[in-house]
Amino acid sequence: MLNTLLKKLIKASAGRTRFIMAVTGLSVALLLILAAVQLQVNYNSLLHGKTNQDSVANFLVLNKVVNEKTVGATTLSDQEINELKQQSFVDAVGLLTPSRFKISAEGGDGQLPFYTDLFFESVPDAFIDVVDKDWTWNDQSQFIPIIIPNMFLDLYNFGFATSQGLPQLTQDLIKNMPLKVNVRTSLGSFPYYAKVVGFSDRISSVLVPQVFMDWANQRFGNNTNAKPSRVVIRTKDAGNPELVKYLADHGLTTDADKTRFSKYRQIVNTVVNISGVTGFLMLLFALLIFTLFIQLTIASCKEEIILLITLGAAPTQLYRFLMRRFFPSNIVVIVAVLVVISILQFVLANVLEAQSMYIPHFLSAYTILAALVILIVLWLVNSSTIKKYIRQ
């Protein structure tokens, strides 16, 4: 009986326009906030998800920028290397050790003989993207294992060979090609056999095992310039703006393609932050409208409610009725917004998957958790507002 009377009173007093404005404002605010949360989750998934991880992009070879001030002085000091190791965006640092002796290589057959001056570099195995059983050396080995960049083979096949009318070469053919390496010193030339055991997409240098480099530098090299000029770092995010700023501030450079994502990340972060702040402000505005709507609804039938309480109706009954009247609309709004974002997420995941970029097809737990937190806030606001005006 009481609920029937309250329903008639509230229905007669409620302003439909104000209610529609409050629901619309709340819907837009929730859409912006939850979309910002989901966008941030998607972005992190693109950067760090297992299906999106690019082992090449997480390893950067760094060296000083060569200009008028650094010509002839591009080595990295111990202090510079230690400072680099202490940066939060650097997981590990490996030194590229150059050969300190002259080398030439010759090989091929009657149709494709070659001779070239050469250089070697070495780096700890943890930084190499080639795994091969022959990547080892000792003073009893029959040959020196070598890793060359895939870029070198591409330059030959699609540049040099095409322009010179020479045959293109496959990786297997090069791996089976006999090589003779001559280490040239003031004491004479020392011949060794070498073999290409792999092709790297990570380091654009001719690599030999670290143990060979240490042995050869000690036996044939000179110590006039023992400092490294290049290092390779492992980082979780090659597009980290802090990493890009550090390189610029310290006169260091790397492959620009691997750090170009930094600009895109700043744009995405800006869009997400603007969306989140706008959504938060709209949420506050929607809460204000809801509060006013509840206040006006109760105030417009205040005399009737006082009469009902005078006749014996308990305030708790009135409170429960008003909560059932106003709060369910909040739940409907949140569920509707989650459904809309779920549909958009599914469509976006399919679009990106066609471009070999992978994000989850469904809402993240963070988005659902944010919706639950907002729902609790709405419940608290509704409850406190109704209690406040019932007491009056």
Side-chain angles (χ1 to χ4, degrees):
M1 182 63 181
L2 176 63
N3 286 345
T4 304
L5 289 174
L6 285 172
K7 189 175 181 180
K8 290 181 178 178
L9 288 173
I10 297 300
K11 185 176 182 181
S13 304
R16 181 179 294 275
T17 304
R18 287 193 294 270
F19 180 74
I20 293 175
M21 286 178 58
V23 170
T24 303
L26 182 62
S27 301
V28 175
L30 287 175
L31 187 63
L32 289 174
I33 292 177
L34 298 181
V37 174
Q38 187 63 42
L39 277 176
Q40 190 64 50
V41 172
N42 289 342
Y43 191 67
N44 287 332
S45 178
L46 284 172
L47 283 178
H48 306 301
K50 291 182 179 179
T51 51
N52 295 298
Q53 279 187 351
D54 183 354
S55 62
V56 176
N58 292 332
F59 288 83
L60 302 175
V61 177
L62 309 182
N63 56 264
K64 287 186 176 180
V65 177
V66 180
N67 53 35
E68 293 80 3
K69 295 181 181 178
T70 60
V71 168
T74 55
T75 56
L76 296 165
S77 66
D78 292 339
Q79 180 181 354
E80 290 172 318
I81 295 172
N82 288 333
E83 184 180 351
L84 185 61
K85 289 179 179 178
Q86 294 170 3
Q87 302 307 309
S88 60
F89 46 78
V90 174
D91 290 341
V93 177
L95 305 183
L96 278 161
T97 307
S99 56
R100 303 188 186 97
F101 46 86
K102 294 183 178 180
I103 309 165
S104 64
E106 58 185 294
D109 51 23
Q111 294 182 339
L112 188 61
F114 72 89
Y115 174 90
T116 182
D117 288 330
L118 197 63
F119 70 95
F120 287 155
E121 282 187 306
S122 65
V123 69
D125 290 352
F127 295 87
I128 297 176
D129 55 338
V130 175
V131 178
D132 191 279
K133 61 180 179 57
D134 289 330
W135 184 249
T136 181
W137 184 89
N138 57 49
D139 54 5
Q140 303 298 318
S141 296
Q142 300 296 314
F143 60 86
I144 304 168
I146 295 175
I147 294 175
I148 64 175
N150 260 319
M151 179 182 63
F152 280 15
L153 183 58
D154 291 340
L155 286 174
Y156 171 81
N157 281 334
F158 304 108
F160 188 76
T162 304
S163 62
Q164 301 297 318
L166 296 173
Q168 293 183 323
L169 303 176
T170 65
Q171 289 189 356
D172 289 338
L173 183 60
I174 292 181
K175 285 182 177 179
N176 292 320
M177 185 179 292
L179 295 175
K180 182 180 178 183
V181 171
N182 297 304
V183 178
R184 296 175 301 177
T185 71
S186 59
L187 301 177
S189 180
F190 296 87
Y192 293 91
Y193 288 101
K195 177 182 178 183
V196 175
V197 299
F199 298 83
S200 174
D201 288 314
R202 183 177 297 168
I203 299 175
S204 57
S205 186
V206 181
L207 298 175
V208 293
Q210 186 72 51
V211 62
F212 170 78
M213 182 64 77
D214 295 339
W215 174 84
N217 273 340
Q218 185 175 13
R219 179 176 181 184
F220 304 117
N222 58 70
N223 293 319
T224 56
N225 185 13
K227 298 292 184 183
S229 296
R230 303 199 302 167
V231 296
V232 55
I233 67 168
R234 188 178 71 230
T235 176
K236 292 184 177 65
D237 181 7
N240 188 334
E242 292 183 13
L243 169 60
V244 176
K245 184 176 185 303
Y246 182 87
L247 298 183
D249 291 345
H250 292 76
L252 298 172
T253 186
T254 186
D255 187 347
D257 280 349
K258 295 180 180 179
T259 58
R260 70 183 187 280
F261 208 51
S262 172
K263 297 179 182 177
Y264 303 141
R265 178 172 179 174
Q266 289 176 329
I267 293 173
V268 171
N269 281 339
T270 301
V271 171
V272 169
N273 290 335
I274 291 175
S275 175
V277 171
T278 304
F280 180 72
L281 293 176
M282 292 196 67
L283 177 63
L284 293 179
F285 184 66
L287 290 176
L288 177 62
I289 294 178
F290 253 107
T291 302
L292 291 174
F293 174 70
I294 294 172
Q295 176 187 357
L296 290 173
T297 302
I298 295 176
S300 61
C301 56
K302 186 175 181 179
E303 293 181 359
E304 290 83 352
I305 292 175
I306 292 175
L307 178 60
L308 290 173
I309 294 176
T310 304
L311 293 175
T316 52
Q317 288 179 288
L318 183 59
Y319 167 79
R320 286 196 294 269
F321 172 81
L322 292 174
M323 282 298 289
R324 288 197 298 270
R325 178 72 180 174
F326 297 117
F327 186 65
S329 60
N330 300 157
I331 300 176
V332 172
V333 169
I334 286 184
V335 171
V337 169
L338 287 177
V339 170
V340 170
I341 296 178
S342 296
I343 295 172
L344 294 176
Q345 176 74 10
F346 191 81
V347 173
L348 181 63
N350 285 333
V351 171
L352 292 178
E353 188 173 331
Q355 302 177 38
S356 301
M357 293 185 285
Y358 302 95
I359 60 174
H361 283 75
F362 303 102
L363 286 181
S364 73
Y366 294 103
T367 307
I368 297 174
L369 181 62
L372 290 176
V373 170
I374 293 175
L375 189 61
I376 292 173
V377 172
L378 289 172
W379 185 88
L380 292 174
V381 170
N382 279 262
S383 177
S384 62
T385 303
I386 291 173
K387 285 180 179 178
K388 176 182 176 182
Y389 288 104
I390 286 179
R391 291 195 193 101
Q392 293 178 354

